[in-house]
Amino acid sequence: MNAPAATLAQVFRRHALPIALAMLLLFTTLAAGTGLLALAGHFLTAAALAGGLAAGFNFFAPSAGIRALTFARIVSRYGEKLFGHDVTLRLARDLRLWFFARALPLAPLGLGRERIGDLLSRLVGDIDAADGLLVRALGPLIALLALAVLVVAASAAALPPVGAWMALVSLALGGLVPLAATLGARDTERRRAESRSALRQSLQESLEGAADLVALAAVDARMDAIDAHAQTLAHRERRLQRRLSAASLLHASIVALALPALLWLLLRAHHAGEISTPVAAALLFAGIALFEAAAGIGLAWQSLRAARASLQRLRAIAGAAPPVRDPDAPVTLPAVGALRLESVGFAWRGAAPRRVLDSVDLMLVPGQRIAIAGDSGAGKSSLMALLLRLRDPDAGRIRYGGIDLRQAAQADWHRHVAWLPQDAPVFAGSVRENLRMGDPGADDARLWDALGRVRLDDAVRALPGRLDAWIGESGSSLSGGQSRRLALARALLRDAPVLLLDEPTEGLDTDTAHALLRDLADACAGRSLLMISHDALPDGVVHVHYRLMAGRLHPLPPP
């Protein structure tokens, strides 16, 4: 978070050299194939006219050229596939890293309005389309353009009318075929991407809510909705295929007219004595090779449009400005200090701005434990967002050790904070792997100490493998209370002076919740604790209890 995330252009520029090499190899493959066909036509025609092994006919130079072009085509094609696939995979990797780096600062709050299925679609489908922008789309188009220039120039040098005709046909193929592939297809690629995303969303949400769908007898209705999304996507895919088929038909039609005309020009020139028979054959086969290579222009153009649409969808998420930025010259925060909110005000922006905090004052000194309660929508989560510096206050300031958090780097402040969210995830993996997310360098002694402080050590020792015991996805092999305790142990391993908890007992029964809170008070061991909780708290868990109402904090009397 200290360095700004790379721009999308920088991601592509990072791979400029292998991309250029892949394009060069693709052009070399096309040029070698075209040269091979032209030279073979010249050689076979000349050999036939020479009458087999007639004296004076040089068989060796053309055959050596054919072997050289064949070898060059094999090597360049292998290299193009090798470098092309390699750079595509590397580009896909870096695009996903770029997307994560840009989206993660927005994730806690800014992505809350986005559906998980849509984000997954952008991360998978759109990046798969975007990573081929240069190799699968622009690469073939640029290579075809270079091949056309080469063939036109060679044809014009041998016979200017043929060069002019080659240029005219190339312009027709390069202009009319892409037009047929995209005619009436404005925003089609964007709608195709949206259809793919809608289908993925529906499938993903259906799998997550499968138990509820069965319990509510809503499976058939959900399947109908999935079928509707699938039909919409299939309809748009068929329209795309029809346009590509139309482009292929137009290409074939142009070539069907161009080749007889090219043959007529060559026969006319040969009859007039302007070119020899072998040269005429070479020009004919060069034209055939060029027209055949141009058959992929419609697909390359469609891939270009798909990649552009996918890049726009990625930018719509990852291109958003982060809500909080680091100062140019950040101030270093002290190791320990008091956390103080001074007349803090905050409102969520939107069509109808909603002010949730108004002149909030709060002091959390080292070692103090504070709880804040409030009704749903009172602003508790907004207060926590400010304390985590996911947003900056609209009015007032938040200081730590006397320093305004806006003067410090976000990474510096986050090192001072251990956070346990309301839905703290337990990841599929071992106990050790889950705990070390709090401190990657923690040894076994520290891990057992953290488990002991939340009274989970005996339960872990009873597991097969102990610290290496496998935990299912979302902690499926643990009880709800054990999952919360494991997440709390992970937070305690951060060894941060400030511990922020958001509804740590949500969903737990009263006895389990009270036991966890009592253990939490003991586990803090001198740390500052600020907890958001609407539950009744056991005696001695916190020193001060507030209620958030009408945007302000009101102290509650001790129980």
Side-chain angles (χ1 to χ4, degrees), residues 159-172:
L159 191 64
V162 170
W165 181 244
M166 291 280 203
L168 181 62
V169 175
S170 298
L171 288 175

Side-chain angles (χ1 to χ4, degrees), residues 32 36 39-40 43 59-75:
L36 178 61
L39 182 57
F43 174 62
F59 285 92
F60 298 103
S63 60
I66 290 174
R67 286 194 296 270
L69 288 173
T70 301
F71 181 75
R73 186 175 184 274
I74 292 173
V75 171

Side-chain angles (χ1 to χ4, degrees), residues 391-445:
R391 290 288 194 278
D392 283 330
D394 299 325
R397 57 185 176 178
I398 302 175
R399 296 197 295 177
Y400 182 76
I403 297 174
D404 191 328
L405 292 184
R406 284 172 289 203
Q407 297 179 302
Q410 299 171 68
D412 189 8
W413 170 236
H414 291 158
R415 282 191 291 270
H416 288 71
V417 175
W419 179 42
L420 183 67
Q422 178 177 347
D423 53 351
V426 176
F427 299 92
S430 67
V431 174
R432 187 193 309 275
E433 290 168 340
N434 271 272
L435 288 174
R436 280 186 171 170
M437 291 180 185
D439 181 5
D443 58 16
D444 286 5

Side-chain angles (χ1 to χ4, degrees), residues 177-337:
V177 172
L179 181 63
T182 57
L183 186 63
R186 184 177 182 181
D187 293 333
T188 296
E189 290 303 329
R190 177 182 59 81
R191 290 194 292 268
R192 276 183 68 226
E194 290 173 351
S195 296
R196 288 195 304 268
S197 177
L199 180 57
R200 284 194 175 101
Q201 289 171 25
S202 185
L203 289 170
Q204 182 261 338
E205 292 169 358
S206 299
L207 290 173
E208 285 189 349
D212 292 327
L213 292 173
V214 172
L216 297 171
V219 173
D220 291 341
R222 191 66 180 182
M223 290 301 297
D224 290 341
I226 293 175
D227 285 341
H229 289 304
Q231 290 292 339
T232 300
L233 178 58
H235 171 69
R236 288 175 176 165
E237 292 288 352
R238 284 194 296 270
R239 292 185 62 185
L240 169 65
Q241 294 303 319
R242 284 197 294 269
R243 284 194 299 272
L244 290 177
S245 297
S248 298
L249 177 61
L250 179 59
H251 169 270
S253 300
I254 293 175
V255 172
L257 295 174
L259 281 178
L262 175 61
L263 182 59
W264 179 79
L265 286 174
L266 292 172
L267 290 175
R268 182 172 176 272
H270 179 267
H271 182 72
E274 298 175 3
I275 56 172
S276 64
T277 304
V279 172
L283 292 177
L284 176 64
F285 283 107
I288 292 173
L290 173 62
F291 301 155
E292 182 182 0
I297 194 171
L299 183 59
W301 193 263
Q302 186 273 328
S303 297
L304 176 62
R305 290 175 60 88
R308 291 179 60 189
S310 292
L311 288 173
Q312 290 174 356
R313 281 171 50 81
L314 292 172
R315 286 195 186 99
I317 296 293
V324 175
R325 293 184 178 275
D326 286 342
D328 295 331
V331 178
T332 302
L333 294 171
V336 179

